[in-house]
């Protein structure tokens, strides 16, 4: 009888240990990705570029470099760059249109921009300074496709 109680006690302890055993959870640690921007156009190096918090565009240009034909008037070197941003630096052309200084007739030289859209750009400029040439996409009627066709001819 004592043997049976002892065996029962051992079985009870073993089953309690098995039942109470908790498998350790697998913990995966996600490595923080460094913030980066995408460079395109007249930069010496195009593609992904890792940035630091608070970095200015002039720091990026200094580090990466630009081609001799780069239109430096198309970017504002004093602007902060932000993670996941795409920065396009066009090449210089004979005709360059300043988003912050051009008149309506200048904007109308761009294919598909008439008086109304030119006036919308000027109205937007009165309310908001153009910090990036991409800001023209904030103007009603100018989307990504139109911007892509204009960006070679725009500067700040």
């Amino acid at each position: 009888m004592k043997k049976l109680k002892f065996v029962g006690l051992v079985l009870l302890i073993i089953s309690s240990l098995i039942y109470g055993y908790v498998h350790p959870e697998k913990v995966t640690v996600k490595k923080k990705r460094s913030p980066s921007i995408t460079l395109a156009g007249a930069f010496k190096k195009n593609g992904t570029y890792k940035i630091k918090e608070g970095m200015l565009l002039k720091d990026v240009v200094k580090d990466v470099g630009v081609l001799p034909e780069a239109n430096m008037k198309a970017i504002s070197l004093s602007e902060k760059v932000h993670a996941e941003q795409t920065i396009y630096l066009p090449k210089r052309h004979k005709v360059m249109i300043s988003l912050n200084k051009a008149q309506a007739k200048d904007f109308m030289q761009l294919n598909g921009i008439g008086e109304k859209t030119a006036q919308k750009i000027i109205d937007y400029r009165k309310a908001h300074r153009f910090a990036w040439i991409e800001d023209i996409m904030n103007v009603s009627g100018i989307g990504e496709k139109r911007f892509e066709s204009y960006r070679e001819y725009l500067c700040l």
Side-chain angles (χ1 to χ4, degrees):
M1 188 73 148
K2 282 188 177 184
K3 268 187 172 181
L4 193 55
K5 285 183 182 180
F6 180 73
V7 171
L9 182 62
V10 170
L11 288 175
L12 181 62
I13 292 172
I14 292 173
S15 63
S16 294
L17 289 174
I18 292 172
Y19 181 76
Y21 179 73
V22 178
H23 294 286
E25 286 185 39
K26 290 184 180 180
V27 177
T28 54
V29 178
K30 290 185 179 180
K31 194 175 185 181
K32 274 191 173 180
R33 290 187 356 199
S34 299
S36 63
I37 57 174
T38 303
L39 301 176
F43 290 102
K44 283 189 177 176
K45 296 177 186 174
N46 284 312
T48 303
Y49 176 81
K50 291 182 182 179
I51 61 170
K52 296 175 185 157
E53 187 71 31
M55 196 170 200
L56 298 177
L57 186 54
K58 71 178 178 180
D59 301 322
V60 175
V61 168
K62 184 180 176 184
D63 190 36
V64 174
V66 296
L67 299 175
E69 62 272 15
N71 179 11
M72 295 305 291
K73 290 182 180 181
I75 58 175
S76 177
L77 296 175
S78 61
E79 292 293 323
K80 284 186 180 180
V81 293
H82 305 285
E84 307 302 319
Q85 184 178 12
T86 297
I87 300 172
Y88 180 77
L89 178 59
K91 295 178 180 176
R92 279 190 305 268
H93 290 278
K94 288 181 182 178
V95 177
M96 296 301 301
I97 299 170
S98 170
L99 291 174
N100 289 316
K101 297 176 186 171
Q103 297 176 1
K105 64 180 176 133
D106 300 319
F107 291 117
M108 290 169 41
Q109 292 178 35
L110 297 171
N111 188 25
I113 293 190
E115 286 182 50
K116 287 183 181 181
T117 306
Q119 190 58 50
K120 286 180 187 179
I121 295 169
I122 291 170
D123 292 343
Y124 179 87
R125 178 176 68 201
K126 287 178 184 175
H128 314 280
R129 176 180 136 319
F130 285 100
W132 303 93
I133 60 172
E134 290 84 356
D135 290 345
I136 196 169
M137 289 188 285
N138 295 331
V139 175
S140 173
I142 300 179
E144 196 169 334
K145 273 189 167 182
R146 286 181 100 183
F147 168 70
E148 294 283 330
S149 67
Y150 303 152
R151 71 181 184 181
E152 287 292 324
Y153 307 99
L154 299 176
C155 64
L156 298 176

